[in-house]
Amino acid sequence: MSGLEKTPPTLNKPTHSRSSSTASSHWEVMDDLQVEMMSGDNSQDLTIPGICEGYLLKRRKWPLKGWHKRYFVLETGILRYSKTQQDITRGKLHGSLDVGLAVMSINKKSNRIDLDAGDVLYHMKANSHDLFYIWVAKLSAHRMFKKNEAAQVHNGFFQALSQGTSVPGLAQRNGMQDVVSPLALYRSESKHTWTHTCSVRSLLLMLNVIFFIFPSLSVHASLKSVHDALAQERQRLQDTYHQSTTLAEVRVYPFMETGLVYEMYLFVCGCFSSPTSPSSWLSFSWCFISRRTPSVTDSAAEYFDASDGVLNGSFSESESGLSEGTTTSATREYRASISKTPNCVVPKNTGRRTTLAAHCPDNAQVGLMQILYNNIGKDLSRVSMPAALNEPINLMQRLCEELEYSELLDTANNTQDPYQRMVYVGAFAISGYATAHYRNRYKPFNPLLGETYECLREDKGFRYISEQVCHHPPISACHADSDNFSFWQDQRWKNKFWGKSLEIMPTGMVNVTLPRFGDHYEWNKVVTCIHNVLSQQRYLEHYGEVIIRNLNGNACTCKITFVKSRYWGSDTNKNEVQGTVLDQTGSVIHRFGGLWHEGIFCDTLPTPQCIWKPNSQPKDYYLYYGFSSFTLELNELTPGLKPLLPPTDSRLRPDQRMLEDGRVDDCDKFKEEVEDMQRERRKQLAKKGQEHTPRFFKKAMDSSGRDVWLTNGTYWKVRENPGFANTKNLELW
């Protein structure tokens, strides 16, 4: 326990927690410690808790298997970590987090501690129970300190207001002077910013109180001095940052509050740019207060952390091969080229539908918080959700969405050069993520065991079949055939909520064969994370690396990096993706990149070109779950198609169809009935000692020894003769 903490440990088990799961999960959520923020009582204990430091295990960001040994330091409510104690001393951080803004979950059985601050998520584990309880106690103490610190800021300002006789005069005399003075303190003592963290934080809190109490537009004049001061401060910080040639040359502590200063600047600028209602000022400022305080070092550390253990579980943070500067500059160039390029494929008039029968429901009033908090740390694929949280397609149809840009595989199959073929295969792997950009408000239905889905697209030249082959764990298998390619995968998803973020972790491999050259490509998928899932500032990102290999040849491999967003990057630079095609010696043959929702450009082809650009979203797409034109067509049931489908096809699932038609209440009732029927079928099989046998897929083992599900080739034969109406079928609903 050497070097663990600077004060004697408190080994008492924390009592402020509540169970969040079943007995088999053992996860508990540490309740938010209640502090009287507006009472005027200044009795909060602001004694700074002792520093706690030492080694813990931290789960890898990707591939989310295995754990790193990392050195953590908890000081004045900020948790920082690096590889070693020496790295901390040198200021070489891999990340930091304000524990006062994080949801804290613990698992006593496995000595796990999870901290979710919305846009950053730490999974940590102690090697012993004693060490676990020390860290839990210290984290709880520092969380209380941060909340008391914020409470005193509020109370002090309200007390100052209560002593004045003229409210407007008081606003100028006490309010604005007090607002500016912390910033002056911050600037004059930038060498000691670490000890004055609350000074700049106080500024934003006071700004919020001013808007709350003085809603008239005359407050604009009072805020001009703050606006000017913040603009100068932001410029000074940016100039200092850009003077450094490398991230290591930037001193850590003077920049710990840079992100917060920038947020305050945006807040004040927003107030001046357009007169808004007092309520909008209040909500806007509070949305910033509720966020953590990222820094330059923190944001860069998040980028490096996204590369943990990528290739064969052996990569470390600095081995991603893409530096922050080169990634951003390359992406800027790619975006400029992509913007000048028309869509790669002009959408054809397929004669299919272009809207749904009803708009998506408003799920803002659904008690999502209680549902998720009761299931922190659990696999959400096993949790029944209200119908209003669903979109009217299921996970098997989501897999079919990955074929929206199948023309990239058609092009690859007609490209002679193996390195250029790999570029098109890489672009296809990226294109499957594009539709997720508009889809963070709803979740797809979980398929029932034995449920199937077919998609026959003569306009695109492929036919697709999928089946839910396993329920625990849920596994969806699919296969698509075309004259130019074969495509198959079996995906196992785990969806876990950690307090503010929802992680979606696929574990299966994607396979594509190109018959003209005998190529067999295989690649993994990256992690998808929905941040701030309980707030209106929700956003989605993918991070990690995709490695594409040709199992039938070793001429080249492809490495694609989905870059974790950085705080200092603008919204236009989010969703960065960079790819390289490497030969046998590891030399780069081709480079390509862009944004996964805007397009991919390759500047190393004989003719540099945009190799993929997503189709434009349909009119009023936001009213229809954010669906693309291709997705709108997936659940369409035409009179000529219905007799050809097996009764297990997703288009015939009643609760999903009810949601599409806008009958949300009916959907909720039938969804519960369908799930009860599934549980009863499983019980009956268990009594007989039997297991469900998939109808159209068979279990096999791939060349790496992994269990995979492959098509048995019977679906289209049975469909043609004798037809599903003349065969025995499962009754799922």
Side-chain angles (χ1 to χ4, degrees):
M1 202 164 65
S2 175
L4 174 65
E5 58 175 337
K6 302 296 175 88
T7 60
T10 301
L11 290 175
N12 293 330
K13 298 181 182 181
T15 58
H16 296 284
S17 63
R18 58 187 170 91
S19 174
S20 65
S21 60
T22 62
S24 61
S25 179
H26 301 284
W27 280 100
E28 298 178 18
V29 184
M30 303 300 292
D31 282 338
D32 287 337
L33 305 173
Q34 299 300 317
V35 180
E36 292 296 328
M37 300 293 290
M38 309 289 262
S39 66
D41 178 13
N42 290 318
S43 61
Q44 287 88 4
D45 182 12
L46 286 181
T47 303
I48 299 177
I51 299 174
C52 187
E53 59 184 293
Y55 282 101
L56 293 172
L57 298 178
K58 180 181 179 292
R59 194 174 71 172
R60 297 175 184 270
K61 275 289 186 185
W62 174 257
L64 289 176
K65 294 179 180 179
W67 298 77
H68 294 290
K69 185 180 179 182
R70 293 291 181 258
Y71 195 85
F72 286 84
V73 176
L74 178 61
E75 183 178 8
T76 60
I78 304 297
L79 181 66
R80 297 170 287 141
Y81 82 94
S82 191
K83 279 190 176 181
T84 64
Q85 185 178 12
Q86 290 73 23
D87 287 345
I88 291 284
T89 305
R90 292 194 298 264
K92 184 180 178 182
L93 295 183
H94 285 174
S96 68
L97 179 148
D98 186 337
V99 298
L101 300 179
V103 175
M104 179 174 166
S105 308
I106 64 173
N107 188 322
K108 298 176 183 177
K109 184 175 181 180
S110 59
N111 297 331
R112 286 275 304 274
I113 303 172
D114 284 14
L115 295 171
D116 185 354
D119 52 355
V120 64
L121 177 60
Y122 289 174
H123 302 287
M124 303 175 295
K125 182 164 62 173
N127 283 327
S128 69
H129 284 298
D130 287 345
L131 189 60
F132 166 76
Y133 284 117
I134 288 173
W135 275 99
V136 171
K138 282 296 181 180
L139 285 166
S140 298
H142 281 260
R143 292 175 72 225
M144 175 65 83
F145 166 74
K146 297 296 286 185
K147 293 179 184 296
N148 285 342
E149 179 187 67
Q152 189 175 59
V153 171
H154 279 76
N155 294 339
F157 190 70
F158 275 101
Q159 185 176 11
L161 289 175
S162 66
Q163 296 172 357
T165 57
S166 171
V167 170
L170 180 65
Q172 290 183 344
R173 183 175 68 255
N174 290 342
M176 297 315 301
Q177 290 178 2
D178 289 346
V179 165
V180 177
S181 61
L183 185 59
L185 174 66
Y186 172 77
R187 294 188 60 183
S188 64
E189 301 191 25
S190 61
K191 292 186 294 183
H192 308 287
T193 306
W194 185 252
T195 63
H196 293 282
T197 301
C198 64
S199 298
V200 182
R201 188 188 307 279
S202 303
L203 180 56
L204 185 55
L205 292 172
M206 290 178 181
L207 284 172
N208 180 74
V209 175
I210 288 172
F211 278 113
F212 181 74
I213 297 178
F214 309 118
S216 70
L217 293 178
S218 63
V219 75
H220 283 197
S222 301
L223 282 173
K224 283 188 179 293
S225 60
V226 180
H227 173 273
D228 296 339
L230 287 172
Q232 295 174 10
E233 183 69 9
R234 175 174 179 262
Q235 187 61 48
R236 184 186 71 82
L237 290 168
Q238 285 186 330
D239 291 345
T240 305
Y241 172 69
H242 291 301
Q243 286 172 4
S244 301
T245 57
T246 65
L247 185 62
E249 294 175 7
V250 181
R251 289 196 56 182
V252 175
Y253 298 138
F255 285 88
M256 291 307 290
E257 289 296 319
T258 299
L260 187 57
V261 171
Y262 182 56
E263 286 185 351
M264 288 188 290
Y265 172 78
L266 293 178
F267 166 58
V268 177
C269 288
C271 297
F272 284 120
S273 61
S274 60
T276 54
S277 65
S279 61
S280 65
W281 294 341
L282 184 63
S283 62
F284 187 60
S285 56
W286 269 116
C287 84
F288 285 127
I289 292 174
S290 64
R291 292 181 58 181
R292 69 181 186 92
T293 57
S295 64
V296 174
T297 52
D298 186 19
S299 60
E302 288 178 22
Y303 164 67
F304 288 125
D305 194 38
S307 306
D308 285 356
V310 173
L311 184 58
N312 297 328
S314 62
F315 266 39
S316 65
E317 288 89 337
S318 59
E319 294 173 332
S320 67
L322 293 168
S323 68
E324 178 181 355
T326 57
T327 301
T328 302
S329 61
T331 300
R332 261 198 306 268
E333 295 174 4
Y334 290 143
R335 290 191 73 226
S337 302
I338 292 170
S339 64
K340 301 174 185 176
T341 306
N343 287 350
C344 295
V345 176
V346 178
K348 300 177 182 178
N349 183 1
T350 62
R352 299 171 185 261
R353 67 183 184 183
T354 57
T355 62
L356 300 181
H359 293 169
C360 54
D362 180 10
N363 58 18
Q365 305 303 319
V366 176
L368 180 61
M369 180 179 293
Q370 187 62 40
I371 296 171
L372 294 178
Y373 267 71
N374 286 338
N375 294 281
I376 282 185
K378 294 173 65 177
D379 184 354
L380 293 184
S381 62
R382 302 189 179 199
V383 178
S384 180
M385 296 286 187
L389 297 177
N390 286 89
E391 57 187 15
I393 64 170
N394 64 26
L395 287 169
M396 297 187 300
Q397 292 166 310
R398 272 282 183 103
L399 290 179
C400 187
E401 284 187 84
E402 296 179 21
L403 290 168
E404 180 171 358
Y405 301 99
S406 60
E407 59 271 7
L408 289 167
L409 296 181
D410 296 335
T411 303
N413 192 52
N414 291 287
T415 300
Q416 288 288 339
D417 185 274
Y419 303 108
Q420 293 183 28
R421 277 204 304 276
M422 184 65 86
V423 171
Y424 287 104
V425 173
F428 173 77
I430 295 170
S431 70
Y433 295 94
T435 187
H437 183 64
Y438 308 97
R439 307 269 286 280
N440 59 19
R441 296 185 298 150
Y442 301 89
K443 63 173 287 293
F445 277 80
N446 293 328
L448 300 173
L449 185 62
E451 188 173 343
T452 61
Y453 176 73
E454 74 161 60
C455 183
L456 181 58
R457 294 299 298 249
E458 296 178 355
D459 57 321
K460 289 182 173 291
F462 73 78
R463 59 183 188 179
Y464 167 96
I465 171 63
S466 182
E467 181 179 6
Q468 189 73 1
V469 296
C470 186
H471 188 63
H472 289 311
I475 302 176
S476 301
C478 69
H479 185 96
D481 276 319
S482 164
D483 291 339
N484 290 315
F485 66 86
S486 290
F487 165 93
W488 71 92
Q489 60 177 312
D490 55 271
Q491 285 300 324
R492 302 158 173 83
W493 290 276
K494 286 187 177 180
N495 309 313
K496 290 193 175 182
F497 176 67
W498 297 107
K500 291 186 179 180
S501 306
L502 178 66
E503 285 184 324
I504 304 169
M505 298 163 284
T507 58
M509 303 293 285
V510 184
N511 293 265
V512 165
T513 58
L514 303 180
R516 183 175 179 182
F517 303 101
D519 293 340
H520 179 181
Y521 299 97
E522 180 186 74
W523 65 87
N524 60 283
K525 288 186 173 182
V526 296
V527 176
T528 298
C529 188
I530 302 175
H531 296 286
N532 302 320
V533 69
L534 299 177
S535 76
Q536 295 302 312
Q537 287 75 45
R538 185 183 310 151
Y539 69 97
L540 178 149
E541 71 170 331
H542 309 292
Y543 47 76
E545 282 190 352
V546 173
I547 305 298
I548 305 178
R549 296 182 177 87
N550 185 355
L551 302 184
N552 291 342
N554 57 1
C556 59
T557 58
C558 180
K559 177 176 142 183
I560 303 172
T561 302
F562 285 74
V563 183
K564 187 173 175 62
S565 60
R566 298 177 299 280
Y567 180 79
W568 277 94
S570 65
D571 288 341
T572 57
N573 285 329
K574 287 184 178 179
N575 305 338
E576 293 181 46
V577 60
Q578 295 284 327
T580 54
V581 176
L582 312 172
D583 64 13
Q584 297 180 31
T585 65
S587 300
V588 175
I589 305 300
H590 289 296
R591 286 189 176 89
F592 57 91
L595 305 183
W596 51 258
H597 71 292
E598 284 190 2
I600 300 299
F601 190 87
C602 182
D603 55 4
T604 55
L605 293 174
T607 303
Q609 59 182 290
C610 175
I611 53 178
W612 168 74
K613 189 174 184 179
N615 298 321
S616 301
Q617 286 289 98
K619 182 181 178 181
D620 297 328
Y621 68 90
Y622 193 80
L623 299 176
Y624 301 109
Y625 303 90
F627 285 173
S628 66
S629 297
F630 182 81
T631 309
L632 284 170
E633 301 167 357
L634 290 179
N635 205 48
E636 184 178 12
L637 183 61
T638 60
L641 179 62
K642 187 174 181 179
L644 302 176
L645 296 175
T648 55
D649 193 277
S650 300
R651 295 180 182 84
L652 303 175
R653 181 170 171 172
D655 51 347
Q656 189 170 310
R657 182 64 58 184
M658 291 172 183
L659 179 61
E660 183 178 292
D661 293 339
R663 298 159 54 194
V664 181
D665 292 338
D666 292 340
C667 175
D668 256 324
K669 295 176 184 178
F670 201 90
K671 182 171 178 285
E672 186 175 346
E673 293 179 11
V674 166
E675 290 169 352
D676 287 340
M677 292 172 62
Q678 178 173 237
R679 283 188 283 269
E680 183 60 30
R681 284 194 300 274
R682 195 163 59 247
K683 288 180 182 177
Q684 295 301 322
L685 286 175
K687 287 181 180 178
K688 299 176 182 178
Q690 300 176 354
E691 293 184 355
H692 171 78
T693 302
R695 186 176 183 184
F696 304 112
F697 286 81
K698 60 184 179 181
K699 197 172 186 178
M701 187 171 292
D702 65 9
S703 58
S704 300
R706 294 183 296 255
D707 289 335
V708 294
W709 289 90
L710 305 175
T711 178
N712 59 19
T714 62
Y715 182 88
W716 299 107
K717 293 178 181 178
V718 175
R719 186 183 191 270
E720 182 178 356
N721 185 26
F724 292 112
N726 300 314
T727 61
K728 184 178 179 180
N729 302 285
L730 284 174
E731 294 184 11
L732 301 181
W733 39 73

